[in-house]
Amino acid sequence: MKTRTIQRTRLVPHTIDGKTEMVLDRYDEQIPIPPRDWDRTVLTAVTAAAGLLLLVCIGWTTASVGGLLSRVVHPIPAYGAALAFDLAWMMCMALEWLARYDTRRAALPRKAGHAALALAMVAVAAHGWIEAALIIGIIGATVSAIVKGIWTVVLRHHAKPLDSKTQQWVDRQRADAGGQLAMVAVRRELARAHAQVHAEEAALRTSPDRPDALPEASPETPENPAEAPEPAPALSAVGPMTIADAVRNAVSSGITDPDAVLRYVRTVADANAKPASVDRYLRAFRKTA
């Protein structure tokens, strides 16, 4: 059994002149070396070799299809478009890799990858046919098929499909997390819509040129105005609104006392609004009134 030496430390007592202190003591320890995991080594080597073949495949298909397309367009966009033929099925393979634990989700990128591969092979073969080298075009088209086949085998080896019950549990967890993520955007949209509605309502209530914005007379109001008590300005919390909007709403409703304005702002806008900020907005609105 092979071993390797590692250095460890421990606290040991050390006494000098009758005074003992705990000090660090370094010592060597032999630990066994686990045997090499040849299965993992081989799988890593195969995956690396398959990745190298992807580069070869991209170069071959891009050169072939780019030569085909450059007959009618400028070489730069032609070779750029040719690059998409192999990248399409490679991206589908990447999605299939991400779904290697879910057979149902991996089915769609696998089918799309096969379709993209077929298009790339047809394009390479067409280039050989136009160049009067159909046999070479067909052989070149099989390069993509070989690389795709190797990667299909590698992905199947890496894939770890879940059993039915575990897959159902995973699907429910995904659904719950997806629902919570979707509700974040929904709540944001609803909050924005409610804020717009409240802003419109506040503008209609405080608009001086709209007669319908005036409060309707109550049926219990006395006929003699002298007998009726002086009504207090009515305000409603239409929030959410900014501190400036709340101060403007208070001033337009007839509230001028700074303390009353501050209480109103803290009720409908910001519970932690500072008196200095409210006073500043109040002075500004008084000047423009």
Side-chain angles (χ1 to χ4, degrees):
M1 181 178 61
K2 296 182 178 180
T3 61
R4 62 188 180 94
T5 303
I6 62 172
Q7 191 177 71
R8 299 186 182 276
T9 59
R10 58 189 173 187
L11 289 174
V12 297
H14 186 64
T15 304
I16 297 179
D17 294 335
K19 187 175 182 180
T20 302
E21 297 287 352
M22 301 298 293
V23 297
L24 286 177
D25 177 39
R26 293 180 174 82
Y27 64 98
D28 294 334
E29 181 178 351
Q30 301 292 326
I31 61 174
I33 300 177
R36 180 181 294 275
D37 187 356
W38 287 106
D39 292 344
R40 175 55 58 179
T41 302
V42 171
L43 182 59
T44 302
V46 170
T47 304
L52 180 62
L53 288 179
L54 285 179
L55 298 178
V56 175
C57 182
I58 290 177
W60 176 264
T61 303
T62 302
S64 180
V65 181
L68 175 65
L69 299 178
S70 62
R71 299 171 66 93
V72 294
V73 297
H74 192 274
I76 293 179
Y79 283 94
L83 187 63
F85 280 84
D86 270 352
L87 283 182
W89 61 264
M90 290 179 186
M91 292 168 62
C92 291
M93 281 199 319
L95 295 176
E96 185 180 353
W97 166 272
L98 295 176
R100 62 188 180 276
Y101 300 113
D102 191 339
T103 305
R104 182 173 54 84
R105 295 182 65 190
L108 180 58
R110 185 183 303 114
K111 294 177 182 178
H114 291 157
L117 173 65
L119 294 176
M121 294 177 63
V122 169
V124 174
H127 177 257
W129 177 67
I130 291 178
E131 296 293 339
L134 181 60
I135 301 300
I136 296 177
I138 295 175
I139 294 175
T142 59
V143 173
S144 297
I146 292 173
V147 176
K148 171 65 174 174
I150 291 176
W151 265 104
T152 299
V153 175
V154 172
L155 289 178
R156 290 287 180 88
H157 198 85
H158 281 283
K160 300 295 185 293
L162 306 177
D163 61 88
S164 177
K165 293 182 179 180
T166 304
Q167 187 63 60
Q168 293 179 43
W169 184 89
V170 172
D171 291 341
R172 288 182 177 274
Q173 293 296 313
R174 284 175 177 162
D176 292 341
Q180 295 175 10
L181 185 61
M183 287 306 300
V184 173
V186 171
R187 292 192 185 97
R188 185 183 298 116
E189 180 182 358
L190 292 177
R192 183 167 54 249
H194 286 312
Q196 292 176 354
V197 171
H198 293 322
E200 290 289 342
E201 292 177 349
L204 292 175
R205 280 195 298 268
T206 59
S207 178
D209 57 348
R210 288 183 54 91
D212 57 345
L214 300 176
E216 298 182 357
S218 173
E220 300 180 356
T221 302
E223 296 181 358
N224 188 358
E227 299 178 0
E230 182 180 356
L235 289 175
S236 62
V238 298
M241 61 174 65
T242 63
I243 295 177
D245 292 337
V247 174
R248 184 186 297 109
N249 193 15
V251 173
S252 62
S253 300
I255 298 180
T256 57
D257 182 58
D259 293 335
V261 174
L262 178 61
R263 288 194 299 270
Y264 175 70
V265 170
R266 289 180 174 177
T267 301
V268 302
D270 187 357
N272 299 318
K274 297 181 179 179
S277 301
V278 175
D279 289 341
R280 183 171 64 255
Y281 286 118
L282 186 58
R283 290 194 301 270
F285 290 135
R286 283 175 177 173
K287 291 179 181 179
T288 58

